[in-house]
Amino acid sequence: MLAARRINPLFRNIEKTVKNYDRHVSTGSSLLSMDVANEPDVPKMVTDIPGPKSKQLIKELAQIQNVGAVHFFCDYDNSHGNYLADVDGNVMLDLYTQISSLPLGYNHPAIINAVSKPENLSTFVNRPALGVYPPADWVSRLQNALLSVCPPGMTKVQTMACGACSVEHGLKAIFIKYMNDQRSGEAPSMEEMDSCRVNKAPGSPPLTILSFDNGFHGRTMGALACTHSKWLHKLDLPQPDWPVVRFPDLKYPLECNTAENKAEESKVLEEVEDKIEEYNKKGLPVAGIIIEPVQCEGGDNFASKEFFQGLRDITNKRKIGFLVDEVQTGCGVTGKFWAHEHFNLTDTPDVVTFSKKMLTGGFYQKESFIPKEGYRIFNTWVGDPGKIALLEEVVKVIKEENLLDNVKVTGNYLLSNLEQMQTKYPGILSKARGLGTLCAVDFPDAATRDKVIGYLRAKGVHTGACGEATLRFRPTLLFQNKHVDLFMERFDDVLSQVKK
Ligand SMILES: Cc1ncc(COP(=O)(O)O)c(C=O)c1O
């Protein structure tokens, strides 16, 4: 590691940062770590994006793989805090953060420290098959990184690799629990064990999961069956006949449409009940419901806590599983560690999936959802201890620096600024909404939204799209009011340009 520090320019830069950071932590300074993390004050744009070096690299990559989704190549050595550098020397304020997956920004000193510690060396060097051969520090790492931030009422966690993989196995846990209940906990029959190997009943029962239109849960086959955002994800792929219900379509501003929105959500809850009845009757029993606390990829669609309470009550009444997918909404972005904590549910969810800002995939679950046999929820790695070691640091920083409070303060400021902009540009912006820094605003159409994203990028702000015509904000947990000001100044410029 010392040799690496000598040759890698990142480490030359970082050594100073880590020292500053250590001093900052030891003096108990209330500054956010980002203030000592080499962040530039403003963006710096020197070329169009993608610039010439990015274009050349995209050409080279195209010889190897599909580059249809590649925007530009990045210079991670020179990216710091909330600022992302590209290979052409542009430095952008990043409000999209690797598709919402950077809790502490780029090159955070606490993370670099963790990678540099000799006692962590073997964690990063070896990748064990964790489900079979876990290392001695695995239990304490799980406790520090994952159990210390457990959703209220949950005490069990299973690590996985990515978001889709977590959803996939979360769904399996629900099906397995449902069938275990059907058998009253008895062992499966020989016929069941034989028939499941060739995809036949009774061992492969025709169970279903109810999901919501415009929801997104990943691209593996089980998760994809619950994903209903873009055709691009689903075309040409065989899908099971699983029930889909529309997500409530709330009218904004919320405070002026309370009665109408309440009626809309009650209607959707009725539709959920009807759909479950319909599928139960046609021999495709519903074993569970999957939902995001905020539909993210599908357009940042919100529903009220009463709606989620209603869903939880339906699942409890019918004794079916309730999976809350927090892959994008978890890890503090809404001002609480888990978004569903805002809902005051009558009972905790049965399964809560996570990934993205948590750095590892996985899911929390109620004890009754853990299968009796080993290997039923399993793969070779079941996660990566290196990522858990990094998450330990992330969780420590979140707690030490009260980052959930920071998210609340910055989120309120961001939303109130978006509302002001919406008043200033009524024909262009609508439905400003958000919880914490998970904020969004709509445009009249995708073309206008995409034009604004392009103009913003030229001014040094990297943002992302979702849904049909939505601009979404997915900054780090270290995002502050000063970054909001910097963004708003440029947003105002761009909107006045678009208005002409
Ligand atoms: C709510 C939700 N679930 C699941 C996924 C899938 O995660 P991954 O892309 O890591 O497979 C995503 C990804 O955006 C997501 O937003």
Side-chain angles (χ1 to χ4, degrees):
M1 190 54 67
L2 284 177
R5 281 183 180 208
R6 248 177 264 127
I7 52 170
N8 188 331
L10 169 66
F11 281 107
R12 270 204 301 277
N13 248 344
I14 286 303
E15 214 140 11
K16 198 173 77 209
T17 314
V18 168
K19 252 190 226 143
N20 279 343
Y21 181 69
D22 285 347
R23 203 175 317 126
H24 144 82
V25 169
S26 65
T27 56
S29 149
S30 61
L31 277 178
L32 291 183
S33 46
M34 172 195 59
D35 290 323
V36 289
N38 279 349
E39 241 198 30
D41 292 328
V42 287
K44 182 182 93 179
M45 298 307 287
V46 291
T47 71
D48 286 344
I49 298 215
K53 284 190 186 151
S54 262
K55 278 188 185 151
Q56 176 56 31
L57 285 165
I58 290 172
K59 217 159 122 189
E60 289 170 24
L61 186 61
Q63 305 298 314
I64 303 168
Q65 50 180 235
N66 184 306
V67 289
V70 177
H71 289 202
F72 52 87
F73 274 70
C74 299
D75 174 358
Y76 291 109
D77 285 1
N78 285 307
S79 300
H80 297 287
N82 292 280
Y83 284 81
L84 169 65
D86 78 352
V87 287
D88 288 284
N90 301 296
V91 181
M92 291 162 271
L93 177 66
D94 192 358
L95 304 190
Y96 194 42
T97 60
Q98 309 294 323
I99 326 181
S100 194
S101 66
L102 272 188
L104 304 180
Y106 297 98
N107 289 312
H108 191 281
I111 304 268
I112 296 197
N113 244 351
V115 176
S116 323
K117 279 183 193 161
E119 64 266 32
N120 282 340
L121 191 63
S122 87
T123 302
F124 293 115
V125 169
N126 300 293
R127 189 170 187 191
L130 284 166
V132 193
Y133 311 109
D137 58 8
W138 185 231
V139 177
S140 69
R141 284 203 193 276
L142 284 180
Q143 273 161 346
N144 295 339
L146 288 165
L147 294 181
S148 77
V149 291
C150 241
M154 301 186 103
T155 55
K156 307 288 173 204
V157 72
Q158 173 65 58
T159 51
M160 282 288 156
C162 65
C165 171
S166 309
V167 168
E168 201 75 31
H169 287 277
L171 295 176
K172 281 171 60 180
I174 285 178
F175 287 133
I176 292 170
K177 160 76 162 62
Y178 184 92
M179 289 310 295
N180 188 53
D181 289 351
Q182 296 292 304
R183 292 187 201 103
S184 309
E186 297 294 317
S189 65
M190 280 308 291
E191 190 190 4
E192 284 176 311
M193 289 191 282
D194 258 0
S195 57
C196 71
R197 290 184 305 101
V198 287
N199 303 352
K200 295 275 187 270
S204 298
L207 301 178
T208 63
I209 295 287
L210 184 144
S211 55
F212 291 84
D213 198 7
N214 287 314
F216 185 93
H217 300 285
R219 297 169 173 88
T220 52
M221 292 299 277
L224 190 65
C226 305
T227 286
H228 315 286
S229 50
K230 297 194 183 82
W231 63 265
L232 202 65
H233 306 316
K234 301 201 52 133
L235 184 71
D236 298 335
L237 304 169
Q239 292 288 288
D241 177 10
W242 287 6
V244 185
V245 174
R246 70 197 177 85
F247 193 80
D249 182 12
L250 300 191
K251 298 237 163 352
Y252 285 77
L254 293 177
E255 59 280 11
C256 305
N257 294 284
T258 325
E260 206 176 324
N261 287 337
K262 197 167 172 218
E264 162 71 354
E265 290 187 333
S266 303
K267 193 150 178 294
V268 174
L269 287 175
E270 272 171 34
E271 287 170 26
V272 168
E273 294 263 30
D274 292 348
K275 198 57 98 178
I276 294 175
E277 282 300 319
E278 179 193 325
Y279 271 70
N280 287 350
K281 273 198 198 116
K282 71 172 175 174
L284 299 172
V286 177
I289 292 182
I290 182 170
I291 192 161
E292 297 159 83
V294 179
Q295 282 194 327
C296 289
E297 302 297 316
D300 270 22
N301 306 318
F302 286 76
S304 73
K305 65 177 185 216
E306 288 79 14
F307 176 72
F308 285 93
Q309 287 165 2
L311 275 184
R312 171 75 278 198
D313 293 346
I314 290 172
T315 52
N316 265 349
K317 182 180 79 186
R318 294 180 174 270
K319 297 192 171 33
I320 59 176
F322 188 45
L323 190 161
V324 176
D325 182 358
E326 294 251 23
V327 165
Q328 195 156 161
T329 52
C331 200
V333 289
T334 65
K336 290 191 188 280
F337 206 93
W338 301 104
H340 76 265
E341 291 179 63
H342 291 279
F343 301 153
N344 297 325
L345 298 176
T346 44
D347 183 17
T348 51
D350 298 310
V351 177
V352 174
T353 46
F354 56 80
S355 190
K356 292 206 185 260
K357 281 191 171 62
M358 295 294 282
L359 305 181
T360 173
F363 58 96
Y364 297 101
Q365 59 189 331
K366 281 193 172 159
E367 185 155 8
S368 55
F369 281 73
I370 302 178
K372 278 183 258 173
E373 305 85 357
Y375 291 107
R376 294 195 78 183
I377 302 288
F378 187 83
N379 58 42
T380 303
W381 285 324
V382 280
D384 177 350
K387 300 299 174 207
I388 302 290
L390 301 185
L391 181 61
E392 265 186 284
E393 295 302 319
V394 169
V395 166
K396 215 159 90 191
V397 172
I398 291 176
K399 288 179 182 173
E400 277 170 2
E401 304 198 9
N402 294 322
L403 292 187
L404 299 190
D405 286 347
N406 179 59
V407 167
K408 278 179 219 152
V409 169
T410 316
N412 286 339
Y413 189 62
L414 174 60
L415 185 56
S416 68
N417 270 274
L418 286 175
E419 283 164 350
Q420 283 166 29
M421 280 295 169
Q422 179 174 274
T423 309
K424 188 168 175 187
Y425 297 100
I428 305 179
L429 298 181
S430 63
K431 288 175 72 175
R433 55 199 183 277
L435 198 53
T437 52
L438 193 133
C439 289
V441 67
D442 280 6
F443 287 81
D445 49 58
T448 313
R449 188 259 326 264
D450 295 344
K451 201 196 272 185
V452 167
I453 288 179
Y455 287 177
L456 279 171
R457 197 184 280 172
K459 286 181 179 293
V461 182
H462 184 48
T463 55
C466 66
E468 260 175 47
T470 301
L471 179 70
R472 64 172 148 170
F473 297 84
R474 295 294 187 272
T476 71
L477 304 176
L478 296 165
F479 190 58
Q480 289 180 300
N481 289 1
K482 68 178 180 187
H483 301 109
V484 175
D485 289 339
L486 198 143
F487 164 73
M488 284 299 163
E489 205 181 290
R490 284 155 181 79
F491 198 35
D492 198 2
D493 275 0
V494 166
L495 292 172
S496 58
Q497 220 176 318
V498 169
K499 195 177 155 196
K500 280 175 199 158

